[in-house]
Amino acid sequence: MKKTLLSLMGLCIPIFLFAQNPQPKDRDYRILQMNRKFKPDKGFRADDQLSKRDSRNPNRVKYQKGNYFLIQFNELPGAAVKAQLQSLGVKLLDYVPYYAYYAHLKQEISSDQFAALNIRTVMPVEERFKLAESIYKNNIPRHALKGQNIELEITFFEGADLQAAEKLINRTATIKAKLNSKNWVISIALNQVKSLAAIKEIKFI
């Protein structure tokens, strides 16, 4: 009986691993986010804000240090790739389906370096990625409204510079409570809510 079970387990493990890492032509490269589901084009593009074309080589894109990006791989990175990224100052954060991670860049990185690590594309973290569906669609629940203001919880990226974020938040909002190092409750005018998405340290509103 034990031998039979072991044999079955031996068969199941390769099948499971194959299902988790299908062949390239079968891989689903859609980004699944509550406000947008899309398949990003492969390659590296400059947005002229957080990433720019290299003046000496227009085919190379440079991604600015200190910012957050969404990095999509051709296949899920193993320990060796993660170690190489870490040595380049790239910190992988939360996973985003499919084959993607939020990432923080501690130093400037070029598209050449990313391509060498089997990275499919690199994108800025768009406003719609950060907003709850009700906020994005301007369908605010009544219980969150306090007169002309709204009370809501914001979530920071892991390791974010909270002092820098607090200065920017205080320009338009009032901090009501600091629940922990990643979650705060704030009060802000309804017409200012989406402006919070421009604060790079904020992951979700």
Side-chain angles (χ1 to χ4, degrees):
M1 184 69 176
K2 278 187 176 180
K3 287 183 178 179
T4 303
L5 287 172
L6 288 171
S7 298
L8 287 172
M9 287 175 65
L11 287 170
C12 289
I13 290 173
I15 293 171
F16 174 78
L17 291 175
F18 179 82
Q20 294 296 301
N21 197 24
Q23 295 302 306
K25 65 182 180 64
D26 299 320
R27 290 176 189 157
D28 186 350
Y29 287 115
R30 288 177 302 156
I31 296 295
L32 303 185
Q33 202 275 339
M34 68 176 67
N35 297 320
R36 188 184 179 197
K37 296 174 177 60
F38 69 105
K39 180 181 178 180
D41 293 330
K42 184 174 183 177
F44 304 95
R45 287 159 294 280
D47 66 3
D48 294 325
Q49 294 180 17
L50 305 182
S51 56
K52 295 183 179 181
R53 293 283 174 188
D54 188 331
S55 58
R56 292 174 295 181
N57 182 355
N59 293 320
R60 180 187 296 129
V61 177
K62 290 186 174 182
Y63 296 89
Q64 292 181 11
K65 68 178 181 179
N67 288 299
Y68 295 86
F69 295 89
L70 187 61
I71 295 178
Q72 187 177 53
F73 293 81
N74 287 305
E75 60 182 8
L76 291 176
V81 169
K82 288 181 178 180
Q84 286 179 280
L85 284 167
Q86 188 173 6
S87 70
L88 291 172
V90 180
K91 183 178 181 180
L92 295 183
L93 303 169
D94 295 322
Y95 175 75
V96 179
Y98 293 112
Y99 301 100
Y101 288 85
Y102 287 121
H104 180 253
L105 273 56
K106 293 182 179 179
Q107 59 190 44
E108 183 179 82
I109 306 292
S110 74
S111 53
D112 292 349
Q113 292 171 295
F114 279 137
L117 292 170
N118 206 23
I119 288 172
R120 184 174 182 272
T121 191
V122 179
M123 299 164 279
V125 180
E126 298 178 6
E127 173 190 277
R128 71 186 84 190
F129 289 179
K130 294 187 173 188
L131 299 176
E133 186 176 14
S134 59
I135 296 174
Y136 183 70
K137 294 183 176 179
N138 293 313
N139 186 23
I140 309 297
R142 288 186 179 181
H143 67 81
L145 295 173
K146 309 292 181 183
Q148 296 299 312
N149 284 10
I150 178 176
E151 281 195 6
L152 48 79
E153 185 174 323
I154 56 176
T155 302
F156 298 99
F157 283 108
E158 180 185 340
D161 183 343
L162 299 184
Q163 288 187 336
E166 185 168 0
K167 289 179 182 178
L168 294 173
I169 291 168
N170 283 334
R171 292 179 183 178
T172 56
T174 300
I175 298 169
K176 307 290 286 187
K178 296 180 180 180
L179 305 178
N180 51 52
S181 61
K182 291 184 68 175
N183 300 87
W184 294 359
V185 175
I186 67 168
S187 174
I188 188 170
L190 197 55
N191 63 359
Q192 292 290 325
V193 173
K194 291 185 178 180
S195 68
L196 292 171
I199 299 175
K200 65 183 180 181
E201 291 84 5
I202 293 179
K203 174 188 170 186
F204 192 70
I205 303 164

